[in-house]
């Protein structure tokens, strides 16, 4: 056996254990799902088998009984119960401990609990809570049932739409994308999608590039007909579409509402499970990726220099080669970057496990809904986010959500919901964590902050400022320390981590309805697409992702002074900032200035520049500590001619401009 | 800080023997920088102005693909400034900034030579030392009849980093 | 991977407008000044989509689309037809020539990006 393979085993085993854990958690809500059962069995089997090969006999022996149990499940001799899932999860933990050289002892307890469960399937309830396991299980069937009953809120909307559609037969030949249409319909909330195959001709008459398949689906009743028809842009020619409102039976309507909450039951298994589980993956040390990114960065700079020299030489052969290299460098860069980009979903397994455990310890049923799992961030950023997010979830579960009794008395469903969402917004990613709990009690917050000496009784704070107090260092909710919030990081550490990532944090809360924490993070990447602009003979780079469009500054506006002004762009007032003034640039502006309209957070702002030079790949070099205090720049880059250009940090620059204006107005 | 250490060790007016330095002219005075710190000497190419940055660190330059801040020791040493000319050079130094190894450029009106000089603490040379902020001068060096200011780079950069935007140095 | 859109229009300003909007949104563009020019580019460049004007010298939009569709490997490449007139007959002709869809000038960048992203997939 090679040394390499031996080093690989623990990595692979950990991946298998993670995949096993995810599979078990999924099984909790889909106990009948064959693909999940097969997956869990396969993971157990592989983990046991490779463990034995690498001399982990204790691990292999321990897993043997679990494998047998899931074999029985697979063959239909045993049903998945919450108790079995719980035991499986604990077995997972124990397997990891064994890999780290931990004691075999706890395994005995698990195995006897498993034996009790498999020998007498009716005894599931008893086996779930033997004394040795009691340290925080409490997940019984009754609880799980109670949750299912409460999961579908009773509300009536307009009856759903029923849609049957066939696109024109020549759609594919003309480059139309039926899948795009379906994606759009899915985004609108389409469910129960069925293919319609009745127009499929006999094989002898089938033309491969014609489209014969149609689809039937249900769409939420709240949508207007126009919105639905908009999904068929460019498909109106030859379109065969039937759209009608359908009075659904109560059972069906309830099922439809239930399904929108989380995973679509008709979605194939592969899509429901988070990406990044084992499979055909290769694990690479992160430092090697960093190194690779550095090399690619240098390549991009060298390539830019080559392109410039080639252009200057006028030698067409050389230019062709330079262009070829540019193409290669671009795709190389994109590949490298995509390797570093990781979907948020890659760490969501930890959150689901945490909620599962919290659920048991706190005696509060909790539903964790994760949205935008595919949103990608740089790997380092994701890793740094994991702990703060765990802390926020723990906080929500511990302090935010009420007990089922309290919730019932307030007319809320027994099951509390924690919702984690991730989405792109301009050049940023916004991650939100919201609960539907009791919200922040501003009076108590204020009193607590006063007691801690963070503010005085005379300080005049508005609600937002009071809410922000929980982010202050020294504001520990020590008085309500529980087992959970006692450990881990505090809110101020959460804030510091976010700030380290050049992000911002916002707390919103409505008493009785819940609390939401929003984190805005830049897509901090080593290389970005940049728009190179010129102001007073100096060149600056604006991240292209932030650029919406570019317009000419009307000549009559060119000579005005002041930092922020308003400009009418397509009937909308857009504030604009004069970069020349913000950057303290010499000289007077020329007559033909351009306005680069950028998004900064939720804001659209124009930046006036003298000239647009073009867009190019931009390797971000961090500024030295000497310039770290200058927040208006997110870094610098080396241009093709060897000079350095600063990269503008658009949100910070906008804030700077507004601050300058405030100072002048005062 | 380090310079104080050899004040007590060195008797008055006695110069510590021979250390390798690069000598340069700045603000009309002669300075010496420990040659071990100097990575290379460059002719000033394109220097990028950093808007709203303090005068001490007002520029950036490209040194073989690395973006390096350009600093002007005349600000903390309260020396008169003159425009760049054909003699102007940039010394690229390896320094520690906030604990991390960093590359920093410093401006020189003219770079003279690599040589050996002996040095003494600033207090021991009152007639020469009194003109500069004592906390930023590590020692006074001497070669034959010429005196050199040996700036305390650690103290200068630490003071700059201690205050946001280097306000202290700008006002000083 | 950036996708390349072939932009065909005899008006340099319209070409540039479309190009810069698409580039800012992350697409690559190649510009052609008329149908003839576009055809010779299309033979080698293999664009992911084509946006073409109708009224152009040498070879007009309809003619170009027909010739384009006759090239090997162009099945499945979406062509968007631009015109200043919103005439039903012209629209039918464009469709028959092999255009997927139609946009009437003037249009703004939002509409353009919406159309292109739908056609190419976001």
């Amino acid at each position: 056996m090679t040394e390499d393979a031996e080093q690989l085993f623990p990595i692979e085993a950990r991946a298998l254990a993670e995949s096993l854990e995810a599979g078990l958690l999924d099984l909790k809500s889909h106990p009948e799902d064959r693909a999940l059962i097969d997956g869990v069995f396969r993971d157990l089997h592989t983990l046991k088998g490779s463990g034995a090969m690498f001399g982990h006999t204790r691990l292999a022996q321990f897993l043997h009984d679990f494998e047998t149990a899931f074999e029985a499940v697979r063959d239909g001799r045993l049903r998945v119960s919450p108790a079995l899932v719980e035991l499986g999860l604990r077995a997972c933990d124990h397997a990891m401990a064994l890999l780290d050289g931990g004691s075999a002892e706890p395994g005995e307890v698990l195995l006897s609990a498993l034996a009790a469960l498999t020998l007498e399937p009716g005894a599931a309830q008893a086996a779930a809570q033997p004394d040795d396991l009691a340290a925080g299980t409490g997940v019984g069937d009754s609880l799980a049932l109670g949750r299912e009953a409460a999961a579908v809120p009773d509300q009536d909307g307009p009856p759903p739409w029923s849609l049957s559609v066939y696109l024109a037969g020549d759609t594919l030949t003309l480059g139309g994308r039926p899948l795009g249409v379906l994606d759009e319909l899915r985004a609108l909330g389409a469910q129960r999608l069925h293919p319609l195959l009745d127009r499929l001709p006999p094989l002898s008459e089938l033309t491969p590039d014609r489209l014969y398949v149609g689809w039937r689906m249900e769409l939420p009743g709240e949508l207007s007909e126009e919105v639905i028809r908009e999904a068929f842009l460019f498909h109106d020619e030859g379109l065969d579409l039937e759209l009608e409102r359908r009075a659904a039976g109560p059972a069906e309507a309830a099922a439809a509402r239930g399904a929108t909450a989380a995973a679509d039951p008709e979605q194939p298994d592969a899509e429901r499970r988070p990406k990044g589980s084992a499979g055909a993956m290769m694990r690479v040390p992160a430092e090697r990726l960093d190194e690779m990114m550095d090399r690619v960065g240098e390549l991009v700079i060298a390539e830019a220099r080559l392109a410039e020299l080639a252009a200057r030489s006028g030698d067409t052969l050389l230019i062709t080669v330079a262009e070829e290299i540019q193409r290669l460098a671009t795709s190389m860069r994109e590949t490298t970057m995509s390797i570093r980009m990781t979907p948020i979903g890659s760490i969501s397994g930890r959150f689901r496990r945490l909620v599962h455990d919290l659920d048991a310890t706190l005696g509060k049923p909790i539903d964790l809904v994760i949205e935008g799992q595919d949103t990608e961030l740089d790997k380092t950023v994701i890793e740094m986010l994991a702990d703060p997010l765990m802390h926020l979830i723990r906080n929500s579960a511990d302090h935010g959500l009420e007990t089922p009794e309290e919730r019932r008395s307030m007319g809320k469903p027994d099951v509390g919901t924690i919702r984690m969402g991730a989405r792109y917004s301009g050049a940023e990613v916004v991650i939100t964590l919201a609960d539907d709990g009791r919200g922040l009690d501003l009076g108590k917050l204020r009193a607590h902050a006063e007691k801690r000496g963070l503010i005085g009784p005379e300080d005049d704070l508005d609600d937002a400022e009071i809410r922000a107090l929980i982010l202050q260092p020294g504001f520990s909710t020590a008085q309500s320390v529980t087992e959970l919030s006692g450990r881990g990081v505090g809110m101020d550490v959460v804030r510091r981590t976010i700030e380290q990532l050049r992000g911002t944090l916002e707390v919103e809360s409505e008493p009785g309805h819940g609390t939401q924490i929003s984190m805005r993070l830049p897509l901090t990447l080593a290389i970005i697409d940049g728009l190179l602009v010129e102001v007073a003979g100096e060149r600056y780079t604006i991240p292209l992702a932030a650029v919406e469009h570019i317009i000419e500054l009307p000549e009559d506006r060119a000579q005005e002074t002041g930092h922020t002004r308003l400009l009418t762009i397509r009937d909308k007032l857009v504030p604009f900032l004069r970069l020349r003034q913000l950057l303290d640039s010499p000289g007077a502006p020329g007559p033909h200035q351009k306005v680069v309209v950028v998004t900064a957070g939720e804001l659209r702002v124009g930046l006036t520049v003298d000239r647009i030079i073009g867009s190019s790949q931009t390797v971000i070099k961090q500024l030295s500590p000497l310039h770290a205090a200058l927040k208006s720049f997110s870094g610098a880059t080396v241009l093709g001619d060897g000079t350095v250009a600063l990269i503008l940090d658009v949100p910070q620059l906008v804030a700077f401009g507004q601050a300058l204006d405030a100072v002048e107005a005062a | 800080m380090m310079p104080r250490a050899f004040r007590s060790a060195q008797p008055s007016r006695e110069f510590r023997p021979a250390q390798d330095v690069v000598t340069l002219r700045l603000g009309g005075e002669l300075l010496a920088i420990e040659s071990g710190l100097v990575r290379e000497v460059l002719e000033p190419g394109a220097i990028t102005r950093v808007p709203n940055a303090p005068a001490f660190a007002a520029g950036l330059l490209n040194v073989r693909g690395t973006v390096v801040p350009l600093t002007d020791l005349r600000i903390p040493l309260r020396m008169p400034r003159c425009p760049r000319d054909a003699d102007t050079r940039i010394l690229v130094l390896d320094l520690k900034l906030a604990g991390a190894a960093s590359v920093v450029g410093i401006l020189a009106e003219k770079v003279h030579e690599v040589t050996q000089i002996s040095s003494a603490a600033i207090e021991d040379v009152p007639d020469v030392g009194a003109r500069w902020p004592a906390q930023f001068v590590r020692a006074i060096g001497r070669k034959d009849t010429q005196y050199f200011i040996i700036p305390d780079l650690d103290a200068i950069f630490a003071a700059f980093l201690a205050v946001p935007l280097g306000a202290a140095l700008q006002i000083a | 991977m950036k996708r390349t859109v072939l932009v065909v229009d005899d008006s340099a300003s319209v070409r540039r407008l479309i190009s810069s909007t698409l580039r800012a949104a992350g697409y690559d563009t190649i510009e052609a000044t008329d149908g003839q020019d576009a055809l010779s580019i299309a033979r080698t460049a293999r664009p992911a989509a084509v946006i073409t004007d109708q009224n152009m010298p040498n070879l007009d939009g309809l003619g170009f689309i027909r010739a384009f569709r006759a090239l090997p490997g162009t099945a499945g490449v979406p062509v968007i037809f631009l015109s200043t007139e919103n005439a039903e007959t012209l629209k039918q002709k464009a469709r028959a020539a092999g255009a997927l869809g139609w946009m009437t000038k003037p249009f703004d960048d939002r509409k353009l990006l919406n159309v292109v992203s739908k056609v190419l997939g976001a």
Side-chain angles (χ1 to χ4, degrees):
Chain A
M1 205 159 296
T2 66
E3 201 176 310
D4 245 18
E6 256 170 69
Q7 284 174 351
L8 211 58
F9 172 69
I11 299 172
E12 179 196 288
R14 221 156 283 280
L16 281 167
E18 273 172 33
S19 156
L20 178 58
E21 187 178 46
L24 285 166
L25 286 166
D26 280 337
L27 263 187
K28 208 167 79 162
S29 36
H30 302 88
E32 306 282 333
D33 192 318
R34 290 234 49 93
L36 286 174
I37 293 169
D38 288 350
V40 165
F41 174 75
R42 218 167 28 240
D43 288 342
L44 276 166
H45 181 77
T46 314
L47 194 54
K48 183 193 108 173
S50 52
M53 273 178 53
F54 285 89
H56 291 267
T57 34
R58 287 188 309 170
L59 177 74
Q61 277 163 7
F62 169 68
L63 289 176
H64 177 78
D65 286 0
F66 278 92
E67 187 195 351
T68 314
F70 275 90
E71 196 173 15
V73 171
R74 199 186 54 171
D75 300 345
R77 287 177 282 120
L78 183 70
R79 289 173 72 83
V80 174
S81 64
L84 182 62
V85 168
E86 183 63 36
L87 272 175
L89 287 170
R90 281 167 186 274
C92 221
D93 294 346
H94 183 60
M96 300 280 263
L98 282 177
L99 279 172
D100 295 336
S103 149
E105 212 174 309
E108 298 303 318
V109 181
L110 291 171
L111 288 177
S112 54
L114 180 69
L117 193 71
T118 45
L119 280 177
E120 198 187 334
Q125 183 73 19
Q129 294 155 316
D131 288 349
D132 312 85
L133 277 174
T137 28
V139 178
D141 292 25
S142 57
L143 194 94
L145 279 176
R147 175 187 320 194
E148 268 161 40
V152 180
D154 196 28
Q155 55 177 208
D156 278 314
W161 291 99
S162 170
L163 171 72
S164 301
V165 63
Y166 296 86
L167 302 178
D170 61 355
T171 300
L172 295 170
T173 332
L174 295 182
R177 297 175 52 257
L179 284 178
V181 176
L182 290 179
D183 279 344
E184 219 161 299
L185 290 166
R186 181 173 300 159
L188 290 175
Q191 314 186 28
R192 304 168 162 249
L193 184 74
H194 291 287
L196 301 172
L197 305 174
D198 55 309
R199 298 192 183 174
L200 211 58
L203 196 56
S204 57
E205 291 164 29
L206 190 133
T207 317
D209 58 359
R210 280 193 78 77
L211 182 63
Y212 301 101
V213 184
W215 293 274
R216 189 178 70 224
M217 69 198 76
E218 237 171 59
L219 286 158
E222 292 77 22
L223 298 174
S224 70
E225 189 170 340
E226 291 79 63
V227 169
I228 296 173
R229 284 192 183 269
E230 251 170 49
F232 294 96
L233 172 81
F234 288 165
H235 291 286
D236 44 353
E237 205 71 22
L239 184 72
D240 180 353
L241 181 144
E242 263 175 53
L243 185 65
E244 57 185 24
R245 294 226 182 244
R246 189 165 88 94
E252 270 178 319
R257 279 199 293 273
T260 49
D264 185 339
E266 283 176 15
Q267 217 172 329
D269 172 57
E271 275 182 44
R272 180 164 64 234
R273 292 184 63 169
K275 288 184 181 173
S277 46
M281 292 275 178
M282 198 168 120
R283 302 205 164 209
V284 179
E287 307 87 73
R288 277 202 223 163
L289 288 185
D290 293 343
E291 231 171 79
M292 187 167 165
M293 199 70 228
D294 283 351
R295 291 295 96 74
V296 171
E298 286 163 28
L299 175 67
V300 168
I301 292 176
E303 177 271 306
R305 204 168 308 150
L306 174 64
E308 185 150 322
L309 286 177
R312 215 182 296 164
S313 76
D315 180 338
T316 44
L317 264 179
L318 184 59
I319 293 173
T320 318
V321 176
E323 278 171 1
E324 181 72 10
I325 289 177
Q326 179 179 36
R327 211 172 46 72
L328 290 171
T330 307
S331 71
M332 177 103 182
R333 172 215 131 177
E334 276 167 14
T335 318
T336 311
M337 237 152 57
S338 71
I339 295 175
R340 291 181 55 89
M341 294 301 274
T342 314
I344 294 259
S346 67
I347 52 169
S348 64
R350 299 186 216 176
F351 305 143
R352 300 205 294 150
R353 180 64 196 270
L354 174 71
V355 166
H356 172 89
D357 291 348
L358 284 172
D359 187 312
T361 328
L362 294 171
K364 297 176 186 173
I366 305 167
D367 208 358
L368 176 69
V369 180
I370 302 178
E371 287 155 351
Q373 300 231 35
D374 293 342
T375 310
E376 291 186 331
L377 274 166
D378 194 280
K379 184 174 167 42
T380 353
V381 179
I382 295 251
E383 285 302 323
M384 283 181 75
L385 275 177
D387 278 345
L389 285 172
M390 300 274 270
H391 179 73
L392 293 175
I393 291 175
R394 220 176 268 140
N395 254 356
S396 279
D398 199 8
H399 303 303
L401 296 179
E402 311 89 335
T403 62
E405 297 76 40
E406 285 175 271
R407 291 181 66 88
R408 220 169 298 143
S409 71
M410 297 176 70
K412 293 185 186 181
D414 283 13
V415 183
T417 302
I418 298 179
R419 197 173 283 273
M420 190 181 117
R423 64 185 168 88
Y424 298 104
S425 159
E428 295 177 315
V429 166
V430 184
I431 299 175
T432 53
L433 203 111
D435 64 57
D436 66 347
R438 55 173 70 95
L440 296 174
D441 182 332
L442 296 185
K444 268 195 198 159
L445 274 186
R446 175 161 192 138
H448 185 72
E450 280 179 24
K451 210 166 77 193
R452 294 245 135 199
L454 295 175
I455 50 168
E458 71 286 352
D459 284 330
D460 185 22
L461 300 180
D462 63 27
D463 288 358
E465 286 169 326
I466 295 177
R467 283 195 293 270
L469 285 172
I470 63 166
L471 304 174
Q472 289 295 315
F475 187 96
S476 153
T477 45
Q479 54 180 166
S480 55
V481 159
T482 64
E483 186 212 334
L484 292 167
S485 25
R487 60 184 139 133
V489 289
M491 276 305 271
D492 63 314
V493 179
V494 173
R495 190 193 61 173
R496 235 179 302 147
T497 310
I498 301 299
E499 279 175 359
Q500 239 176 3
L501 296 169
R502 299 185 80 104
T504 57
L505 198 61
E506 198 182 287
V507 186
E508 288 162 278
S509 176
E510 198 182 330
H513 287 94
T515 306
Q516 167 164 322
I517 313 259
S518 312
M519 287 151 276
R520 293 186 161 275
L521 295 162
L523 293 162
T524 33
L525 296 175
I527 304 189
I528 55 164
D529 276 318
L531 182 72
L532 196 62
V533 299
E534 189 179 292
V535 180
E538 297 174 324
R539 288 177 291 176
Y540 296 91
T541 295
I542 302 173
L544 203 52
V547 176
E548 267 198 4
H549 52 254
I550 300 163
I551 56 164
E552 291 270 342
L553 182 70
E555 278 188 41
D556 56 320
R557 308 294 303 270
Q559 301 305 323
E560 294 169 6
T561 55
H563 300 287
T564 30
R565 288 289 177 272
L566 290 171
L567 199 64
T568 314
I569 300 176
R570 278 198 281 281
D571 301 332
K572 278 206 179 130
L573 279 182
V574 175
F576 71 97
L577 298 163
R578 294 180 185 279
L579 276 190
R580 184 178 291 272
Q581 273 153 319
L582 287 183
L583 301 173
D584 201 14
S585 311
H592 303 294
Q593 291 196 85
K594 307 280 181 298
V595 181
V596 181
V597 180
V598 294
T599 43
E602 306 296 337
L603 219 64
R604 284 171 82 208
V605 178
L607 302 172
T608 58
V609 302
D610 292 349
R611 199 158 74 87
I612 307 285
I613 297 173
S615 66
S616 63
Q617 296 191 40
T618 303
V619 182
I620 301 180
K621 304 273 184 184
Q622 291 304 318
L623 291 179
S624 86
L626 296 177
H627 292 124
L630 294 167
K631 299 274 186 244
S632 315
F633 308 110
S634 54
T637 188
V638 178
L639 301 177
D641 65 358
T643 56
V644 176
L646 286 155
I647 302 167
L648 303 182
D649 186 323
V650 169
Q652 296 277 357
L653 192 72
V654 169
F656 178 62
Q658 287 164 341
L660 270 187
D661 261 9
V663 167
E664 291 198 349
Chain B
M1 213 164 255
M2 242 187 20
R4 307 295 168 248
F6 55 87
R7 172 163 40 128
S8 51
Q10 299 293 325
S12 177
R13 281 265 176 189
E14 246 178 57
F15 281 73
R16 215 166 67 124
Q19 87 183 100
D20 280 329
V21 295
V22 176
T23 62
L24 54 108
R25 195 183 73 216
L26 199 61
E29 308 282 349
L30 289 169
L31 266 72
I33 304 278
E34 198 186 310
S35 64
L37 296 177
V38 182
R39 184 187 270 209
E40 59 187 310
V41 177
L42 300 176
E43 293 194 18
I47 291 168
T48 301
R49 180 183 72 96
V50 182
N52 307 313
F56 172 60
L60 293 175
L61 69 150
N62 165 17
V63 181
R64 285 175 231 300
T66 310
V67 175
V68 171
L70 176 62
T71 59
D72 189 344
L73 295 180
R74 291 175 297 195
I75 308 289
L77 294 174
R78 287 189 226 148
M79 292 169 161
R81 293 201 276 168
C82 58
R84 277 177 222 156
D85 58 29
D87 286 336
T88 307
R89 293 289 180 277
I90 291 164
L91 274 73
V92 181
L93 309 182
D94 284 309
L95 295 179
K96 265 201 167 359
L97 295 183
S102 309
V103 181
V104 173
I106 62 170
L107 206 71
E109 283 158 12
K110 187 182 173 98
V111 172
H112 291 284
E113 55 178 347
V114 179
T115 183
Q116 291 201 320
I117 60 169
S118 53
S119 61
I122 182 170
E123 291 83 349
D124 300 334
V125 200
D127 48 328
V128 190
R131 280 186 280 160
W132 303 288
Q135 75 272 29
F136 293 148
V137 180
R138 169 174 292 180
I140 298 297
R142 188 183 68 179
K143 187 188 184 191
D144 308 325
T145 57
Q146 280 183 315
Y147 287 90
F148 300 89
I149 304 162
I150 305 178
D152 189 340
L153 297 174
D154 289 339
I156 291 172
F157 283 95
F160 179 84
L161 288 172
V163 184
L165 295 185
L169 289 179
Q170 222 167 12
I171 296 160
Chain C
M1 210 50 198
K2 280 196 179 178
R3 281 161 303 178
T4 304
V5 181
L6 174 58
V7 180
V8 194
D9 200 309
D10 53 342
S11 150
S13 63
V14 172
R15 243 176 15 237
R16 183 52 52 90
L17 179 78
I18 296 174
S19 263
S20 62
T21 308
L22 291 178
R23 280 174 178 271
Y27 299 96
D28 262 338
T29 56
I30 313 177
E31 299 179 10
T33 52
D34 60 42
Q36 216 45 279
D37 189 22
L39 258 187
S40 62
I41 290 174
R43 280 199 184 93
T44 53
R46 305 202 160 267
V50 180
I51 298 178
T52 179
D53 188 28
Q54 158 61 1
N55 293 316
M56 292 180 295
N58 301 326
L59 181 62
D60 69 12
L62 288 175
F64 161 66
I65 297 172
R66 283 188 204 105
F68 177 75
R69 287 289 180 214
L71 293 176
T74 60
V77 177
V79 176
I80 299 165
F81 186 66
L82 295 179
S83 177
T84 43
E85 341 155 30
N86 191 3
E88 201 56 34
T89 48
L90 190 56
K91 197 169 163 178
Q92 301 285 1
K93 275 188 198 159
R95 173 93 190 178
L100 171 68
W102 164 289
M103 267 177 37
T104 311
K105 290 195 229 177
F107 51 84
D108 62 15
D109 49 2
R110 241 165 243 275
K111 166 124 197 229
L112 175 69
L113 286 177
N114 182 30
V115 163
V116 171
S117 69
K118 273 196 187 178
V119 159
L120 283 178

